[in-house]
Amino acid sequence: MLTNLQQQPADALLALIKLHNADPRADKIDLGVGVYRTGQGDTPVFTAVKAAEKRLVETQDSKAYLGPEGDMGFVTALMPHVFGREDPTTQGILQAGRIEGMQTPGGTGSLRLALAMVKKAQVRRVWMGVPSWPNHAQICADLGLELKTFNHATPEGAADIAALRAAVAEAGEGDAFLLHGCCHNPTGIDYTDAHWDEIAGLFAGNKVLPVLDLAYQGLGAGMDEDAYGVRRVLAAVPEALVAYSCDKNFGLYRDRTGALYVMMADAAQLPAAMSNAHALARANWSQPPDHGAAAARIVLEDKALTAQWLDELDTMRERMRQVRARLAAAGKTGGVDLTPLGGQNGLFSIIPFTPEQVQAMRERHGIYFAGSGRINVAGLTVGNIDRFIAAVADVTG
Ligand code: LMR
């Protein structure tokens, strides 16, 4: 029976890790999978997380099961950061108890659960701006959800609000929209605050279900700034799903730490919705891994550790801004213009390389990034950025 299974291609993003590792050149550059790197090229454990882990090891007295919802202390402690402690946009929703969450294995687990709920709720179609993170489409396909796409960005490099407007007009009640909350992966091109104001109205007026993927909060403009869109949309609609990842903003990548938040029109509707989320989790992974969420909870429940964590996030964001400014300053480089990268957000940007140029960057220069031309700007440092810019000029010139 198992020989019926056809060979599948390796995941293109994850395959880059191995390709880069296999290159013997000492000066190779990894701009592939989305992990933050310091100016020295490392991806260290956050100091606040390390302190929390120590405390966890010393105080944890049991590893008995917690249930499909995981560490609810973590889920609750994260909420003020996601939805705003004193944000007037979301205060009413929080006071009415209209949002409940659960822990998930990373952002992917959260998306998987959100989209499985969408499917179970008999949502007709999922709409998504493209290009997008490749796993979005893969999860939809795996769940048998019909996916409709529209342009995420204009050729000039702005978010294509007209395309979203047209998509919402064509959709309607019974359809879901999957949007990136901030730091769009792969383009780095985010909707502006004015766009989000409009999107909130469009969604409310057309009765579509928002599914908001917030995987990079704090890596764009700041914790509150990066949640603007999510909060505006939640305030406008009766129901929404928010898939949250702590992989990047707590540096917990392999510990698979995330959460799914469900907002209903009325708090009384939450138990039924959450019972479905719990049942789907049980059938998928039973219960999420504990360690990362427990460490993040300890950070979030401790004022000093929270301040330290937010400080570390500020440093990351500032470094990425500096890298982007240096790229933008290079301007026209060979056949491409790096200027727009300065105004984009988060880890990723796309440089319009041809497939041959992507290959030439790998073979001639030992510089690895996705075939789409997506680079992880955090892989660039003072030590390698000039070489990167020279290589771009070489292969595109
Ligand atoms: C990425 O896009 O590189 C990250 O989100 C990591 C992943 O799981 O693909």
Side-chain angles (χ1 to χ4, degrees):
M1 295 292 284
L2 297 180
T3 55
N4 290 335
L5 297 170
Q6 303 293 309
Q7 177 75 37
Q8 298 295 313
D11 182 274
L13 278 177
L14 301 184
L16 278 172
I17 302 172
K18 292 203 178 97
L19 271 182
H20 173 264
N21 287 348
D23 189 327
R25 284 171 282 190
D27 60 352
K28 61 190 173 179
I29 305 177
D30 180 4
L31 308 179
V33 76
V35 293
Y36 174 77
R37 291 185 206 286
T38 65
Q40 287 67 48
D42 309 319
T43 307
V45 180
F46 278 49
T47 312
V49 169
K50 206 55 169 174
E53 286 181 305
K54 276 208 186 100
R55 209 177 288 174
L56 180 64
V57 168
E58 280 157 18
T59 59
Q60 191 172 50
D61 49 15
S62 173
K63 287 189 182 285
Y65 294 127
L66 291 178
E69 68 275 33
D71 186 332
M72 285 304 288
F74 154 74
V75 173
T76 308
L78 193 58
M79 284 182 69
H81 296 278
V82 185
F83 303 110
R85 199 179 300 274
E86 277 159 17
D87 190 334
T89 320
T90 40
Q91 276 317 285
I93 301 169
L94 294 173
Q95 275 157 18
R98 287 177 50 208
I99 300 179
E100 199 177 317
M102 63 185 286
Q103 191 206 323
T104 58
T108 303
S110 179
L111 279 163
R112 173 81 199 191
L113 206 51
L115 291 166
M117 283 180 82
V118 157
K119 166 101 182 180
K120 208 170 168 197
Q122 292 172 12
V123 163
R124 282 188 309 162
R125 301 175 296 191
V126 177
W127 293 75
M128 179 178 85
V130 287
S132 192
W133 182 49
N135 216 13
H136 281 152
Q138 281 177 181
I139 296 172
C140 287
D142 197 48
L143 285 164
L145 278 162
E146 185 186 344
L147 187 63
K148 300 279 285 181
T149 59
F150 55 92
N151 272 341
H152 172 68
T154 66
E156 294 74 40
D160 193 343
I161 188 70
L164 174 58
R165 211 179 280 138
V168 178
E170 196 189 324
E173 197 165 352
D175 285 3
F177 272 73
L178 173 56
L179 295 190
H180 301 234
C182 69
C183 303
H184 186 265
N185 179 2
T187 66
I189 300 169
D190 286 334
Y191 293 114
T192 63
D193 287 0
H195 287 158
W196 281 115
D197 294 344
E198 180 178 347
I199 294 167
L202 288 172
F203 282 1
N206 289 273
K207 301 195 172 148
V208 297
L209 175 71
V211 180
L212 303 164
D213 181 3
L214 195 55
Y216 299 92
Q217 193 188 8
L219 273 71
M223 286 296 284
D224 283 324
E225 293 84 345
D226 292 350
Y228 181 86
V230 168
R231 294 179 195 169
R232 277 300 281 120
V233 170
L234 292 191
V237 298
E239 298 176 353
L241 297 168
V242 179
Y244 196 91
S245 175
C246 295
D247 292 359
K248 318 294 190 300
N249 64 1
F250 277 86
L252 284 163
Y253 312 93
R254 70 174 76 146
D255 280 331
R256 312 307 302 134
T257 307
L260 172 69
Y261 292 99
V262 180
M263 185 186 79
M264 301 296 290
D266 194 311
Q269 299 162 334
L270 275 170
M274 292 312 294
S275 71
N276 280 275
H278 295 166
L280 286 163
R282 175 69 169 145
N284 273 288
W285 49 76
S286 183
Q287 311 179 43
D290 180 68
H291 180 83
R297 170 179 44 75
I298 291 171
V299 171
L300 293 165
E301 286 177 350
D302 181 299
K303 267 208 174 108
L305 288 182
T306 298
Q308 192 175 14
W309 162 60
L310 292 172
D311 243 34
E312 294 183 83
L313 255 184
D314 288 348
T315 306
M316 289 165 65
R317 194 168 55 243
E318 184 47 35
R319 195 186 100 65
M320 287 193 291
R321 282 274 154 239
Q322 283 167 8
V323 171
R324 287 186 175 282
R326 172 73 189 91
L327 289 170
K332 284 273 296 165
T333 303
V336 295
D337 184 7
L338 299 179
T339 315
L341 276 69
Q344 296 167 359
N345 292 321
L347 289 176
F348 307 116
S349 281
I350 286 193
I351 299 174
F353 292 110
T354 63
E356 294 73 29
Q357 290 168 345
V358 173
Q359 210 48 36
M361 288 290 276
R362 289 182 194 171
E363 285 167 10
R364 289 220 289 271
H365 298 285
I367 302 177
Y368 291 82
F369 50 85
S372 62
R374 185 194 83 168
I375 62 161
N376 171 11
V377 299
L380 294 169
T381 65
V382 177
N384 67 22
I385 196 162
D386 289 336
R387 206 166 74 69
F388 171 74
I389 292 168
V392 172
D394 174 49
V395 306
T396 64

